[in-house]
Every structure is written in C-alpha cells, then in structure tokens.
Amino acid sequence: MSDDNIEFTSEEDDLFEHYRIVADKGQGLVRLDKYLNLHVANASRTKIQNGIEAEAVKVNGLPTKASYKVKPLDVITLSLPEPPRDTEIIPENIPLDIVYEDEVLLIVNKPTGMVVHPAYGNWTGTLINALVYHFQQLPTGRNGEGRPGLVHRIDKDTSGLLVIAKTEFAMSFLAKQFSDHTIERTYNALIWGEPKEEKGTITGNVGRSVRDRRVMDIFPDGSQGKHAVTHYELIKPLRYVSLIKCNLETGRTHQIRAHMKYIGHPIFNDTTYGGDKILRGISNGSYKAMVENCFSMLPGQTLHAKSLGFIHPTTRQWIQFDTELPENFQAIIEKWENYVNY
C-alpha cells in the first residue's frame, strides 16, 4: 500500500487519532483485523479488535466484523487512542472525587487547578498521576504508556466531570462517541455582561492564534481551525455578569472560552481570554473592590463541566451524571447576587 492512501487527522482536543485508509486496486482478500494490524503503525491486535467490536472501525461507512475480507478500493475509517509520550508516569496518592464507578468505567469530578495529564511544566500532581496510583491496569495509549483511561480532558482551571475508561473496550467504545459528537456535555459559566438573546448558538472554527500559540482564535470564514458549535442558554442575569449553561456540539480546545470571547462575553476571571479585568461597570470604589475579591476566590475561570451523558459500553443504556458547582464558584455568584440586590 502507498502512504498516499492513508490519511491521519489527529484532533488536538480529542485524545484519539482518526485514520482513513483506501485499499489498493490490487488488494487481495484478507481479514479486516489482520489488514489493519499491517497498516496501522504500533496498534496492537487487541486494540484493533476492541475498536472493531466498539464500532469505531467502519468499512465504506458501515461497521463490520473482524472477519470481514478487505476488498480492492474499500474505504476504511477508524479511531484509536493517540500515540503517547515516552514519559514515565509516577503514581501519586492524590485523593479523587469519584462520582460513579463500575467494572468498566468511573466518573471523576476534577477540581479547579488540577492538570489532567502530565505535560511540560506539569509532570506531577495530575489526574493521571492519581489514577495510576488508585487503579491498576487501566487501558493506555497505543504503546502501552501515556494517559491511562483518558478519553477526553478539560482545562487545568476548569472544574467538573470526566469519564475514565477501565478497559480497552470501554476506551474504544467511549472514544467513538466523542468522535461522533454523541456525548452530551453541559457546562455552567459565569460570563461578563448579558447576552442579547436568552438562547443562542455560536458557530465558528476554533484554531491556534497566529500571534500566540497558547490561545485559540475564531475563524468564522472556515479558513483555519476546526468546525466548532456551542449552544448557550441564560440561567441568571446579574446586570454586570450572567450565569449561563453551555452545551457542546463539538469538543475543541478552549472552545467555550474562545467562543464566549468572540461574542463579547469572556468568562469571568479567564486570564487567557481577557476575563480577569473589569469589563462591565465602573473600575473604582466598592464595586472594584468587590470584583477583585471575586477574582481572588477562584484560581481560574468560572467554568464547570456540570453534566455528562453517554451510552454505557456494557449495558448499552444511556446514563447521565450531574454535579454541583464548586463552593467558591457558588460563593462568587452569591456575592454578585448580593451586590445587585442590595
């Protein structure tokens, strides 16, 4: 097979790679699992078989069995966990807020300030360091290392729910739902100002800023970045700020944060996207003191992954989880309510 017939489209914000392979014109009949083992680098036979069973592998747009015989010009698409970094993960006895657990998955409520996985500048103290301490033999990246059990992530200073896979099959099954955008994710955010409409949809490609690679920009013309859609709904207007609910149709890096800045309503205390400045009201007196006090109460942006819903890998039933806002997030809302009312 020519390398020209294989496409790799790795999402920066989804922890798996997408492959599209077109079989050669002269391809002889061979089992699908064996074919993929030959053409997908570093993918174990078990991972391939789990991907097929989880319907994360499709031939000509349709899920099929491992025994399917690949034919000339068949178009094969699949999603697999991304290649991990060659980095040792040190188990650390860090407490976890586990909302739910069974034999194949667990739901964790991540606190603000915790990095999800080790990376430059944050090799310890992460959620992954805690997971490898509390759980053994979690599924990993394709080379047997990297990010055990992780199928998605949220920013360091965003709190809330994450699903962790405990088996290879669960990892493939959940990864497919994230890839297909069928996972239901709801966030609560405190934003500057009040949106003109109580409900709305923000559509605009999200991609790295050419000025600062740490920041995501919006490209409404689709010239750069990846397609992104955020639905929002006003929960509580507080004159200068508003509490909103956001539902993600896609899951791009910094999607909600970048989209809210794009429409002129940065998330309160978001240092990356300009929300850590007074953007509504006067910048002096008791008001300024109150806002600065609110800033000091939370180390990052007021954004919380509140609910998470998906099809369970084993029961194939829809399950839904919800969590309360962190105490300091609630305290900030109460301060704004008291200021506005009194």
Side-chain angles (χ1 to χ4, degrees):
M1 161 164 297
S2 166
D3 289 341
D4 294 338
N5 291 338
I6 304 179
E7 298 176 17
F8 308 89
T9 57
S10 179
E11 300 271 355
E12 293 178 38
D13 41 357
D14 295 328
L15 299 179
F16 45 90
E17 291 184 313
H18 305 291
Y19 295 80
R20 182 179 183 273
I21 305 171
V22 181
D24 286 334
K25 293 180 179 179
Q27 175 64 48
L29 299 182
V30 62
R31 281 176 58 103
L32 177 62
D33 53 354
K34 292 183 178 180
Y35 178 88
L36 292 176
N37 273 131
L38 291 172
H39 293 98
V40 180
N42 300 318
S44 68
R45 186 174 181 180
T46 298
K47 192 171 290 294
I48 291 291
Q49 290 174 335
N50 275 310
I52 294 171
E53 187 179 350
E55 298 186 356
V57 177
K58 294 182 179 180
V59 179
N60 303 321
L62 298 173
T64 188
K65 297 180 179 179
S67 59
Y68 171 84
K69 298 296 194 299
V70 176
K71 300 176 179 62
L73 299 181
D74 273 347
V75 177
I76 305 165
T77 57
L78 65 154
S79 300
L80 291 175
E82 70 170 13
R85 225 189 310 268
D86 184 18
T87 305
E88 180 185 2
I89 298 174
I90 301 169
E92 295 182 70
N93 187 8
I94 302 169
L96 291 173
D97 181 4
I98 298 175
V99 175
Y100 172 84
E101 181 182 1
D102 61 27
E103 70 280 1
V104 299
L105 59 84
L106 63 144
I107 305 295
V108 175
N109 185 21
K110 185 190 83 68
T112 303
M114 175 182 271
V115 175
V116 172
H117 59 78
Y120 181 76
N122 294 285
W123 298 115
T124 61
T126 75
L127 176 65
I128 289 298
N129 294 106
L131 287 171
V132 297
Y133 178 89
H134 293 287
F135 300 92
Q136 286 73 48
Q137 298 179 331
L138 290 175
T140 64
R142 289 188 292 153
N143 296 331
E145 303 175 35
R147 300 176 179 129
L150 203 61
V151 248
H152 67 129
R153 56 193 170 200
I154 55 180
D155 298 333
K156 172 186 175 182
D157 290 330
T158 298
S159 56
L161 298 177
L162 284 164
V163 57
I164 306 297
K166 295 171 69 176
T167 68
E168 290 281 0
F169 175 74
M171 195 169 193
S172 294
F173 191 89
L174 291 167
K176 180 179 183 296
Q177 292 184 68
F178 276 97
S179 177
D180 292 344
H181 307 306
T182 56
I183 297 277
E184 183 179 292
R185 287 173 288 174
T186 300
Y187 289 72
N188 278 179
L190 189 69
I191 60 171
W192 279 106
E194 184 178 338
K196 293 180 181 179
E197 304 293 334
E198 289 192 2
K199 293 183 179 181
T201 297
I202 309 166
T203 302
N205 281 24
V206 175
R208 296 282 174 188
S209 168
V210 296
R211 297 178 300 277
D212 184 350
R213 300 294 293 172
R214 298 169 299 175
V215 177
M216 307 304 284
D217 274 346
I218 306 302
F219 301 91
D221 61 356
S223 60
Q224 297 182 53
K226 298 185 176 76
H227 176 65
V229 180
T230 303
H231 305 285
Y232 72 85
E233 180 178 345
L234 181 64
I235 298 176
K236 182 178 293 185
L238 294 167
R239 192 181 304 170
Y240 308 102
V241 296
S242 298
L243 181 65
I244 64 169
K245 176 175 73 174
C246 294
N247 289 93
L248 292 182
E249 195 170 302
T250 54
R252 309 307 182 196
T253 301
H254 295 185
Q255 178 174 318
I256 295 174
R257 299 165 67 188
H259 267 170
M260 296 317 299
K261 179 185 179 182
Y262 174 65
I263 65 169
H265 298 285
I267 294 176
F268 186 81
N269 205 29
D270 189 339
T271 58
T272 302
Y273 292 92
D276 59 339
K277 303 175 182 64
I278 296 177
L279 300 179
R280 299 290 191 280
I282 57 176
S283 297
N284 54 45
S286 61
Y287 176 79
K288 179 182 179 182
M290 189 276 297
V291 174
E292 291 180 344
N293 181 249
C294 288
F295 285 157
S296 69
M297 293 169 64
L298 194 66
Q301 61 273 0
T302 45
L303 180 62
H304 179 70
K306 194 170 190 305
S307 69
L308 185 64
F310 53 88
I311 297 173
H312 191 280
T314 304
T315 67
R316 304 300 171 94
Q317 299 296 311
W318 181 264
I319 54 175
Q320 188 89 26
F321 301 92
D322 191 86
T323 185
E324 296 297 323
L325 293 175
E327 289 184 4
N328 49 2
F329 195 149
Q330 295 185 49
I332 290 171
I333 294 172
E334 290 172 5
K335 276 188 172 293
W336 277 105
E337 288 174 333
N338 290 333
Y339 187 87
V340 170
N341 292 331
Y342 303 109

